[in-house]
């Protein structure tokens, strides 16, 4: 049944990118997927015998893969079923295994079949990691060092690539599928994968010790605010306040570091946007998963190989202003689009939101000032700060703690600008008290006792909050 996919055997004129010299033991990579996806773990130390067995298994995998490349028309495999491909690989394993110095167990044979199948149809060693929903980040520092963040904890896996060429080939396969390229002339790439994951990669000469890859995965099901409260990301009082803030169309900036959960929180906040409102999103790499029906999504585009055709976030934002949006959401403000974002917040698009990289609410406003300056826009500092005070109503600070948990550490209102200084008041905070014996962060959320500057606005919009929501928890 599989014969129609066969082709004449190629003359041995050289090695494929995956080929391994029979005279030389390959890099141990055969048992890259020792467990089911949920059990990818830190690589345990190996005994000498176990290491030798891994080398033999790697050799078998390489031989099977080479034979598959030489005997099958891989371009026709798009029309083959998974069962057909796996059966052909299984037959090749049965042909090659008897000539090897070890006897394969059924588990080892199945692993080899899985690995070859992923090489042919998927992302090779990365396939299982990408399919594991508990993994949020995949970080590669060369062919032998693959790390993951799983359940908030960073750990090294036993996943390995055969060599640098193997890693480069898998990377090229990933980026070419989404219309991007990476080579010596373009040694880095940023792309969005079909499942919504964000990939950034660098190769030599930019990356000194081998190809570096970062894959940021996103949940298929967005967390809502109630779930964030259950997970301890914020308190019920915080959630009630933020619900009122979104429904009353306050302009919100979510501040935090890389991987702190800014996009997750932004998606959760979007659930409070009314169904009658038109929302336009602008992003460098589309990551937002808003929970409304009337959403227009825009994504920037890098220049082509000739250096033309670039569409920046600022270009998208300018066009978004002409598309009758009620709210504009910028996935991340990081460049000269900042001035258009501030102007949009000041010109009838209240309720707009964005994220920014900063360590505190005060730092977030300073970053806004710096980005305006770096954009080459000459505006007096006093005027700029007054514009920020008028445009931004609320700064939410979210942080990734030492134990990997994410928490909203501060909710701060911007109340105005006095004597060239932005007036800010913190309404809620997270008080970090220490580390438990099992290395978990200890602390609790507190109300600072400061009454919201927007209390009257909440009343006018029918979102009046109970007075005790501001009652101080600070001693």
């Amino acid at each position: 049944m599989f014969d129609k996919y066969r082709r004449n055997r190629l003359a041995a004129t050289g090695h494929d990118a995956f080929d391994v010299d029979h005279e030389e033991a390959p890099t141990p990579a055969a048992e890259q997927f020792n467990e089911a996806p949920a059990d990818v773990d830190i690589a345990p130390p190996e005994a000498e015998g176990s290491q030798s067995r891994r080398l033999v298994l790697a050799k078998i995998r390489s031989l099977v893969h080479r034979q598959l490349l030489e005997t099958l028309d891989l371009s026709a495999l798009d029309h083959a079923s998974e069962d057909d491909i796996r059966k052909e690989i299984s037959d090749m394993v049965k042909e090659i295994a008897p000539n090897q110095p070890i006897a394969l167990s059924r588990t080892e044979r199945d692993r080899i079949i899985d690995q070859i199948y992923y090489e042919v149809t998927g992302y090779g060693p990365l396939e299982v990691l990408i399919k594991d929903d508990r993994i949020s980040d995949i970080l590669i520092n060369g062919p032998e060092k693959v790390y993951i963040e799983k359940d908030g904890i960073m750990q090294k896996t036993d996943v390995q690539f055969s060599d640098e060429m193997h890693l480069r080939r898998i990377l090229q396969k990933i980026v070419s599928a989404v219309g991007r390229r990476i080579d010596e002339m373009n040694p880095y790439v940023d792309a969005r994968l079909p499942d919504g994951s964000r990939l950034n990669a660098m190769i030599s000469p930019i990356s000194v010790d081998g190809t570096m890859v970062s894959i940021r995965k996103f949940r298929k099901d967005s967390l809502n605010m109630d779930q964030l409260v259950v997970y301890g990301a914020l308190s019920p009082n915080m959630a009630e306040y933020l619900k009122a803030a979104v429904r009353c169309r306050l302009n919100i900036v979510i501040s935090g570091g890389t991987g702190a959960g800014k996009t997750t929180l932004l998606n959760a906040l979007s659930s409070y946007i009314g169904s009658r409102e038109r929302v336009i999103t602008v992003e460098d790499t589309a990551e937002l998963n808003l929970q409304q029906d009337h959403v227009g999504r825009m994504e920037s585009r890098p220049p082509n190989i000739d250096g033309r055709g670039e569409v920046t976030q600022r270009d998208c934002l300018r066009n978004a202003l002409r598309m009758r949006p009620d709210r504009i959401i910028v996935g991340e403000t990081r460049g000269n689009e900042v001035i258009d974002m501030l102007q949009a917040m000041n010109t009838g698009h209240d309720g707009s939101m964005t994220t920014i990289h900063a360590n505190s609410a005060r730092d977030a406003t300073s970053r806004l000032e710096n980005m305006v300056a770096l954009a080459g826009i000459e505006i007096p500092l006093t005027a700029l700060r007054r514009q920020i005070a008028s445009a931004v109503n609320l700064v939410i600070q979210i942080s990734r703690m030492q134990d990997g948990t994410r928490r909203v550490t501060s909710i701060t209102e911007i109340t105005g600008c006095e004597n060239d200084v932005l007036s800010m008041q913190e309404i809620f905070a997270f008080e970090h008290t220490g580390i438990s014996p099992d290395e978990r962060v200890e602390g609790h959320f507190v109300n600072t006792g400061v009454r919201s500057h927007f209390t009257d606005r909440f009343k006018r919009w029918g979102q009046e909050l109970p007075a005790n929501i501001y009652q101080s928890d600070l001693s």
Side-chain angles (χ1 to χ4, degrees):
M1 179 172 58
F2 208 85
D3 290 342
K4 60 183 178 180
Y5 303 112
R6 293 185 180 277
R7 64 182 179 186
N8 294 331
R9 202 171 189 82
L10 299 176
T13 56
H15 293 295
D16 179 80
F18 285 105
D19 287 350
V20 178
D21 194 329
H22 287 230
E23 303 297 324
E24 198 172 309
T27 302
E31 290 187 285
Q32 298 157 355
F33 309 110
N34 287 334
E35 302 294 342
D39 296 324
V40 177
D41 260 326
I42 299 174
E46 295 183 307
E48 184 176 350
S50 176
Q51 179 76 3
S52 300
R53 191 172 186 87
R54 287 171 62 91
L55 295 176
V56 175
L57 292 172
K59 182 177 180 181
I60 295 173
R61 183 186 67 84
S62 178
L63 291 172
V64 173
H65 188 268
R66 174 186 295 176
Q67 184 170 328
L68 194 68
L69 293 176
E70 292 179 346
T71 60
L72 297 181
D73 182 3
L74 298 182
S75 64
L77 292 183
D78 290 339
H79 307 290
S81 68
E82 178 178 345
D83 290 341
D84 285 346
I85 299 173
R86 286 183 176 276
K87 184 178 184 304
E88 183 68 13
I89 296 172
S90 178
D91 291 343
M92 291 182 180
V93 173
K94 291 177 181 177
E95 292 175 6
I96 293 173
N99 301 321
Q100 302 305 315
I102 64 172
L104 292 181
S105 68
R106 181 173 181 176
T107 300
E108 291 169 337
R109 184 190 64 197
D110 291 343
R111 287 172 184 162
I112 291 177
I113 293 172
D114 285 342
Q115 291 160 14
I116 300 299
Y117 178 78
Y118 292 145
E119 292 285 355
V120 174
T121 64
Y123 297 147
L126 297 179
E127 186 75 15
V128 171
L129 303 181
I130 290 175
K131 288 182 175 179
D132 186 351
D133 292 335
R134 294 170 61 194
I135 295 175
S136 57
D137 285 277
I138 302 172
L139 307 170
I140 303 172
N141 302 331
E144 298 181 359
K145 296 180 180 179
V146 179
Y147 296 83
I148 61 172
E149 182 180 296
K150 186 174 182 179
D151 298 329
I153 305 298
M154 188 71 68
Q155 55 186 275
K156 184 178 181 181
T157 74
D158 58 357
V159 172
Q160 291 183 342
F161 294 83
S162 298
D163 50 31
E164 176 67 17
M165 289 299 294
H166 184 189
L167 172 55
R168 190 80 66 88
R169 182 183 181 279
I170 294 296
L171 175 60
Q172 192 65 48
K173 184 177 183 180
I174 294 173
V175 299
S176 61
V178 294
R180 301 293 175 88
R181 58 178 293 177
I182 184 167
D183 51 35
E184 283 72 16
M185 295 296 295
N186 301 280
Y188 55 87
V189 65
D190 189 75
R192 174 170 53 87
L193 304 185
D195 66 352
S197 301
R198 186 178 69 193
L199 175 142
N200 186 275
M202 297 182 184
I203 63 174
S204 61
I206 304 299
S207 177
V208 177
D209 298 320
T211 297
M212 295 177 60
V213 182
S214 169
I215 299 176
R216 168 69 57 80
K217 298 171 59 183
F218 297 95
R219 295 176 60 100
K220 296 180 176 60
D221 56 326
S222 297
L223 295 174
N224 58 39
M225 196 63 70
D226 291 337
Q227 290 173 308
L228 292 178
V229 171
V230 171
Y231 294 152
L234 71 170
S235 70
N237 283 347
M238 287 178 168
E240 282 298 314
Y241 174 87
L242 293 178
K243 175 181 177 180
V246 174
R247 290 187 172 177
C248 294
R249 299 175 68 93
L250 298 185
N251 293 324
I252 299 174
V253 171
I254 301 176
S255 168
T258 300
K262 299 186 297 296
T263 302
T264 299
L265 180 59
L266 184 53
N267 283 330
L269 290 175
S270 72
S271 65
Y272 299 131
I273 297 176
S275 60
R276 297 180 180 179
E277 299 182 53
R278 173 172 169 79
V279 181
I280 300 293
T281 67
V282 177
E283 301 176 80
D284 253 344
T285 304
E287 301 170 359
L288 294 174
N289 183 22
L290 302 192
Q291 302 172 32
Q292 279 71 39
D293 181 60
H294 197 173
V295 176
R297 306 175 70 200
M298 304 175 72
E299 184 179 37
S300 64
R301 185 180 70 181
N304 61 19
I305 189 173
D306 299 322
R308 296 181 295 181
E310 180 181 17
V311 179
T312 65
Q313 276 201 120
R314 190 173 192 184
D315 297 328
C316 293
L317 190 50
R318 285 174 171 174
N319 281 277
L321 294 173
R322 305 185 182 104
M323 301 185 73
R324 200 258 176 227
D326 290 306
R327 303 185 193 229
I328 296 176
I329 297 180
V330 179
E332 181 181 338
T333 302
R334 65 175 72 182
N336 56 12
E337 69 276 2
V338 62
I339 191 64
D340 298 285
M341 184 69 208
L342 292 174
Q343 289 176 344
M345 289 178 168
N346 271 323
T347 55
H349 302 94
D350 50 333
S352 296
M353 294 183 275
T354 187
T355 71
I356 191 172
H357 282 264
N359 294 325
S360 67
R362 184 69 66 178
D363 288 347
T365 59
S366 297
R367 274 216 72 204
L368 292 174
E369 296 173 9
N370 292 337
M371 284 189 285
V372 172
L374 291 173
I377 301 171
E378 296 184 3
I379 179 173
L381 183 59
T382 300
L384 176 57
R385 288 182 175 172
R386 291 187 182 279
Q387 183 169 1
I388 293 174
S390 176
V392 181
N393 303 127
L394 198 63
V395 180
I396 305 171
Q397 185 69 34
I398 186 168
S399 302
R400 181 179 182 273
M401 316 302 285
Q402 298 96 311
D403 59 357
T405 58
R406 277 81 170 173
R407 288 190 174 93
V408 175
T409 56
S410 174
I411 297 179
T412 304
E413 296 177 344
I414 298 179
T415 60
C417 184
E418 299 178 3
N419 299 325
D420 298 341
V421 178
L422 288 174
S423 299
M424 307 173 75
Q425 61 180 24
E426 189 175 54
I427 308 299
F428 301 96
F430 176 75
E431 189 174 284
H432 185 182
T433 58
I435 301 293
S436 69
D438 59 349
E439 298 185 350
R440 305 295 291 181
V441 169
E442 294 181 332
H444 55 276
F445 297 103
V446 297
N447 310 328
T448 62
V450 178
R451 189 175 180 84
S452 173
H453 177 73
F454 303 103
T455 298
D456 291 340
R457 180 167 179 166
F458 290 163
K459 289 180 180 179
R460 292 196 303 270
W461 284 75
Q463 299 294 321
E464 186 173 0
L465 297 173
N468 62 3
I469 199 173
Y470 304 115
Q471 185 174 345
S472 176
D473 293 330
L474 297 175
S475 55

